[in-house]
Amino acid sequence: MATSEPRTRVSLSDRELQIIDLVATGLTNQEIAVKLEISKRTVDNHISNILTKTKTDNRVALVRWALQWGKVCLDNVNCCSLLLRNDESMS
């Protein structure tokens, strides 16, 4: 059942957004660490911080949150909103 919590903006760093994107592709924390050339513990800390900021309980809920807020593009879902956001940040 969906909660009726108000939708508030969450401030995420570029690195946190990058990690959310990699989580959404199905990578494990170890795989993310290798890809980003950082330690797994650093990834664990980022994931923990992201879950706290987004008020999500797990990776599945995080990906759902990211899709709802247009933070990730999966299989051509939400891609337009990401393109618009990237265009706005360039101007």
Side-chain angles (χ1 to χ4, degrees):
M1 183 182 277
T3 61
S4 60
E5 289 185 28
R7 289 175 56 138
T8 57
R9 241 181 191 190
V10 174
S11 178
L12 298 167
S13 70
D14 288 340
R15 178 62 96 184
E16 289 170 331
L17 291 170
Q18 185 179 30
I19 288 175
I20 291 171
D21 190 51
L22 294 171
V23 167
T25 65
L27 296 183
T28 65
N29 287 10
Q30 182 61 47
E31 292 167 331
I32 293 170
V34 170
K35 186 167 184 79
L36 298 179
E37 299 178 347
I38 59 178
S39 75
K40 180 188 172 290
R41 184 169 180 166
T42 299
V43 175
D44 294 342
N45 288 335
H46 279 302
I47 297 285
S48 177
N49 292 337
I50 293 165
L51 292 175
T52 299
K53 285 182 178 183
T54 60
K55 298 179 182 169
T56 53
D57 295 325
N58 55 54
R59 295 164 84 88
V60 172
L62 175 61
V63 172
R64 287 179 49 96
W65 177 92
L67 284 167
Q68 289 173 334
W69 282 92
K71 302 294 184 186
V72 294
C73 173
L74 293 175
D75 299 327
N76 294 322
V77 174
N78 286 347
C79 296
C80 291
S81 63
L82 285 176
L83 290 174
L84 288 174
R85 188 179 73 213
N86 288 336
D87 289 344
E88 290 171 0
S89 67
M90 290 181 179
S91 40

